[in-house]
Amino acid sequence: MDKKSLEEIAQKMVADGKGILAADESTGTIKKRFDTIALESTQDSRRDYREMLFRSNDAMQSAISGVILYDETIRQKAADGSSLVSLIEQAGAIPGIKVDTGAKDMAGHPHEKVTEGLDGLRERLEEYFELGARFAKWRAVINIGDGIPSQGCIAANTHALARYAALCQENGIVPIVEPEVIMDGAHTAETCFEVTSNVLTALYTQLDEQNVHLEGSILKPNMIVSGTECSTQASVAQVAEMTLDCFNKCVPKAVPGIIFLSGGQADELATAHLDAINKMGPHSWKISFSYGRALQAAPLKTWHGKPENVAAAQAAFTHRAMMNKLAALGEWDATLEKA
C-alpha cells in the first residue's frame, strides 16, 4: 500500500468546491428511475443517460471531482466507442466503483440489514483498478425502529466496512466508507444523532483495528435529520448544528473529507443543509457532497430518453452541480436557484 498515492487521490476527491456524482445505481434501481419517465431500461438507454451526464463538461470540470460507477458502467463504451471511464478522466474527474453486493436481511435480526460482498473482493478490486477505478464505495444500511439498530447489526456492518476499506487500500484504491442511517421512520433528529454517533464510533474503532490508513479514506455519512414521518422536522440550522456536533465528537481529524449522501432529501434541501454546515466553518475536514438522486432527478425528468432533450437535461444537471458547488464552499443562497 502506497500511503502517499492514497492520500493524493483522497485530497483530489475533496478538492475545494467539488463533490462526487453517485452514478452507481444497480440495474434494478435505475429501472425504477426510468419507470418514472416511462423509459425502458436497456444497456443502451442506461449508457446514453450516463454518457449525457459525463459529457456535461461545465458541471464535470467545475463541480465534480469523481464519479461512482456500477459494474456494468465501468465496462461500457460511449456511442462513439470511447470508454465511459475515459470521458470521466477527460473531464478531470476520478472514476470510482461501487463494490458491495447489496444490503440483505440480517439473520436473527428482524428489520435489520447487513451488507454483503467481501467474498472475492480482493480479486474484483484488482480488476477494477485495471479498468481505471481509483476509489470505491461500500454502503451499510442502518434502520432506526423499535429496539433497533441492535449492537449486533452495528458491529457486523462496521466490521464489513473496515475489512472492505483495508482491501481497497491494499490495491491502491481509496475507500469511501458509507454507514447510512436511514431517514425512514417517525424518529426525532435527536434519535438520529444518538444512532449516528454510535455507528461512527463503532466504525472508527473497527477501521483502527483493521489498520486502515485514515488519511487515505473518505467518509460518506447521512446528515442528522428528523425521520420522514416525524411530526416536527428539524430546521436547516438545527440539522447543521447537530450534524457538526456529532462529527466533531466522532470523526477523527485525520480523515481528509466528509462527503454527504442525500438519502432521499429533496434536491434544494440537501443543498441548503450542505451550505449551512459549511457556513459554520472552517472545519477539521473538507465537507462536500456525494449525491445521486439530488443531482440526477432534475436532468432525468428533463431528458425523458429523447435525444432532442439532451442539452436541456445537461443544463439541469449543471445547475444542480453548480448549486452544490456553492454549498460546498458555503456560498449558496436560495435566490440563486431562481436565477
Side-chain angles (χ1 to χ4, degrees), residues 163-216:
R163 296 262 315 277
Y164 138 82
L167 282 165
C168 283
Q169 291 188 336
E170 176 189 276
N171 285 284
I173 288 175
V174 170
I176 293 178
V177 288
E178 180 179 355
E180 181 178 359
V181 176
I182 302 295
M183 289 169 68
D184 300 348
H187 56 272
T188 62
E190 287 74 18
T191 300
C192 178
F193 179 97
E194 186 186 338
V195 171
T196 304
S197 299
N198 289 342
V199 170
L200 290 174
T201 301
L203 174 65
Y204 283 101
T205 300
Q206 290 281 358
L207 289 168
D208 181 57
E209 287 179 2
Q210 298 302 325
N211 296 327
V212 172
H213 182 56
L214 295 186
E215 290 85 349

Side-chain angles (χ1 to χ4, degrees), residues 272-283:
H273 283 149
L274 177 63
D275 177 68
I277 289 165
N278 276 308
K279 276 187 166 69
M280 292 172 72
H283 303 301

